[in-house]
Amino acid sequence: MKPIHRLRERLALAATMLLLLAVSCKKETARPDENMLPPGQKEALATEPVTPLDKPIPLPAGSQGKAARNAGGEPIPIIMVHGMGGLGPGEMLGLYHYWGGVDNIPQYLGNSGYPAYEAKVGPVSSNWDRAVELYYYIKGGYVDYGKLHSSRYGHAQKRTRYYPGIYPQWDAEHPVHLLGHSMGGLTVRKLVTLLEQGDAAERQDPGHASLFNGGRTGWVKSVTTISTPHNGATLSYILLNGYIPFVRQLVTSVAALAGVVPGIEKIYDFSLDQWGLVQQPGESWQSYASRVENSVVWQTEDYCGHDVTPEALMDPARPDPDSKQVYYFSFSTKASLRGLITGWEYPRPDVFPLLIPVAYPTPVLMGIGNYRRNEPGRIVIDAKWWPNDGAANTYGMSGPAGSSIKAYDPAVPLQKGVWNHVGVYNGYDHFDIIGIGYFHSVRPFYQHIAELLSAVQ
């Protein structure tokens, strides 16, 4: 086997470890359930056909197959935003990608006539920090998280890292399509809120960044979310004490990867500069990762795990309302099969093995497929949350609770501010859909999405 092939295999393993969830964390014990099976009895499962990834997406009425263009006559670009734990451009030596795995989907789309840019935001940062970073990553400049937000959580207000901007001409005359997978969908929604409304609290600072002024209506043509838990993920309850052990295990796993590629240490960027967590010249990866693992960030609510809980995402005091100036599309994924007796959702046989422990329902330990909870002051979790893609609940992927959500109908003209649910892609786990751990090409899926977005006028 050629050395480059060995390196790709090692990087594939490393990236998969990064993106998969911590499966060794303890899970909560199930409450008694009248539908529990006797010990040792196996349950018959419903059968559901797999949705073809090359399934065409009909173009919307009125598009006439014409690609929308900006004021300069150029196609409107797609900005692709990774989820929690995601890789950025150039990481893993550029040999393994968040979007496509061994393939490079943004590059493929660009070569196919659909300009696409891969964004990089903090893989374990809060949704606020990620959205602010995304703005500067696209537009360019030094990141400013806002004086109030930064002082509240105790990290630096500004970064010394400068972003040249992947699309510096970005404005209302040169809009973009924002596409996010998993938490990336939450991040792009937050960015739309900041662009249009800014933040009143941050505006109290006389020297506030212009981002917090709002008024940037028309900068985003559409928002597309894939496998995004808009109403939160019950996985945050299943992992012991929320996400803190998961994030710390992620850090530890990444540290161990320094030996996966001999002589290469900087294969992954935690992007936590605001917390003073920058790998110093001459500092070993293990030392840097240890500082990340023991950081005070995990003692705050300003990190990814808190922001994907149902309580955080369904809190009426923290809304990211749908914009009346933006078109919305959503894609759901499902990799579970319903038990015909209990109604529990079991992982499909082809779900990535490391996802099974957190998804699998049993009478003793609750997985995503049978987690339930009804406690005062907390979101009620019942059977509608059980269908899942191995990591996130299918419920909520169609759009946020309280939004206007409808099944996408190409015969009906698109409406701004309304979520068009293109459908549930059955048979794909949380990482299959981005090409991680999936042994077939996801190119057709993303080309169809690009074709759909190019038709949005």
Side-chain angles (χ1 to χ4, degrees):
M1 183 180 293
K2 296 180 179 179
I4 189 66
H5 290 163
R6 293 196 195 98
L7 184 56
R8 284 183 183 275
E9 284 190 354
R10 290 174 177 177
L11 289 170
L13 173 63
T16 301
M17 289 175 64
L18 286 173
L19 292 166
L20 292 176
L21 302 172
V23 298
S24 63
C25 298
K26 292 171 61 179
K27 299 196 293 182
E28 295 188 23
T29 302
R31 295 175 177 79
D33 189 304
E34 64 274 13
N35 290 326
M36 283 185 179
L37 293 175
Q41 181 175 334
K42 292 186 178 180
E43 182 173 11
L45 305 180
T47 57
E48 298 179 16
V50 172
T51 307
L53 276 190
D54 59 357
K55 168 186 169 184
I57 303 174
L59 300 184
S63 66
Q64 300 176 341
K66 297 180 180 178
R69 301 191 174 259
N70 63 24
E74 303 160 333
I76 298 173
I78 303 169
I79 310 297
M80 305 178 73
V81 185
H82 65 76
M84 182 181 66
L87 305 170
E91 295 178 35
M92 293 293 166
L93 305 182
L95 298 176
Y96 203 80
H97 310 276
Y98 186 88
W99 301 97
V102 295
D103 198 359
N104 186 331
I105 294 301
Q107 183 180 82
Y108 165 73
L109 292 178
N111 292 340
S112 301
Y114 306 100
Y117 299 90
E118 183 179 3
K120 165 67 176 180
V121 293
V124 294
S125 296
S126 66
N127 207 35
W128 174 282
D129 287 7
R130 286 165 55 93
V132 171
E133 291 165 12
L134 179 57
Y135 170 77
Y136 289 98
Y137 195 88
I138 300 171
K139 185 67 175 172
Y142 292 98
V143 176
D144 185 334
Y145 297 101
K147 185 175 182 179
L148 177 66
H149 173 86
S150 302
S151 61
R152 176 186 298 155
Y153 295 109
H155 64 61
Q157 178 180 345
K158 298 181 180 181
R159 281 190 174 200
T160 57
R161 187 189 310 198
Y162 178 79
Y163 291 121
I166 55 176
Y167 194 63
Q169 64 267 47
W170 184 29
D171 58 19
E173 297 298 316
H174 302 82
V176 300
H177 298 293
L178 294 177
L179 183 152
H181 170 252
S182 192
M183 190 180 182
L186 306 178
T187 300
V188 300
R189 284 176 50 207
K190 173 64 71 177
L191 177 56
V192 170
T193 299
L194 290 174
L195 289 171
E196 296 192 357
Q197 300 183 13
D199 187 85
E202 294 295 349
R203 288 196 291 270
Q204 300 305 307
D205 171 26
H208 66 270
S210 62
L211 172 61
F212 302 121
N213 287 330
R216 290 172 167 80
T217 301
W219 285 40
V220 175
K221 179 65 107 177
S222 74
V223 161
T224 300
T225 64
I226 301 170
S227 309
T228 294
H230 290 287
N231 297 335
T234 56
L235 185 62
S236 59
Y237 305 139
I238 294 170
L239 299 182
L240 182 64
N241 296 324
Y243 267 74
I244 294 177
F246 159 61
V247 176
R248 286 182 171 171
Q249 184 169 348
L250 172 67
V251 172
T252 303
S253 298
V254 174
L257 297 179
V260 172
V261 185
I264 301 296
E265 290 195 333
K266 294 185 177 180
I267 59 174
Y268 184 74
D269 183 6
F270 286 109
S271 194
L272 290 170
D273 306 33
Q274 69 272 36
W275 294 96
L277 296 170
V278 178
Q279 188 172 9
Q280 301 300 318
E283 182 181 20
S284 71
W285 179 264
Q286 286 77 8
S287 173
Y288 167 54
S290 178
R291 289 196 295 115
V292 173
E293 182 177 0
N294 295 299
S295 170
V296 297
V297 61
W298 318 124
Q299 301 171 26
T300 74
E301 294 183 347
D302 195 37
Y303 76 106
C304 61
H306 172 270
D307 284 357
V308 295
T309 61
E311 278 71 25
L313 288 171
M314 300 179 77
D315 182 357
R318 300 177 54 178
D320 288 319
D322 301 327
S323 169
K324 300 301 182 184
Q325 304 300 321
V326 172
Y327 295 103
Y328 291 88
F329 300 94
S330 59
F331 294 78
S332 302
T333 45
K334 183 175 180 288
S336 63
L337 296 171
R338 180 176 56 84
L340 296 179
I341 297 175
T342 63
W344 294 350
E345 291 279 340
Y346 294 82
R348 295 177 63 95
D350 55 357
V351 166
F352 197 93
L354 293 182
L355 290 175
I356 292 177
V358 293
Y360 200 90
T362 74
V364 178
L365 299 176
M366 288 190 292
I368 302 173
N370 72 335
Y371 186 90
R372 63 171 59 201
R373 191 193 65 194
N374 189 352
E375 300 174 2
R378 303 186 75 179
I379 301 298
V380 175
I381 306 299
D382 53 24
K384 68 175 175 288
W385 293 78
W386 293 351
N388 65 86
D389 66 2
N393 312 85
T394 303
Y395 168 70
M397 289 184 185
S398 59
S403 294
S404 176
I405 305 171
K406 67 180 185 65
Y408 171 64
D409 184 349
V412 177
L414 296 174
Q415 283 183 273
K416 295 179 179 179
V418 174
W419 285 86
N420 292 273
H421 185 221
V422 181
V424 176
Y425 278 67
N426 194 48
Y428 303 94
D429 68 42
H430 202 65
F431 304 112
D432 285 339
I433 204 65
I434 54 173
I436 299 289
Y438 185 60
F439 299 104
H440 302 281
S441 176
V442 294
R443 286 185 175 187
F445 176 66
Y446 288 96
Q447 175 149 351
H448 289 321
I449 292 177
E451 291 168 352
L452 171 64
L453 298 182
S454 71
V456 175
Q457 301 297 318

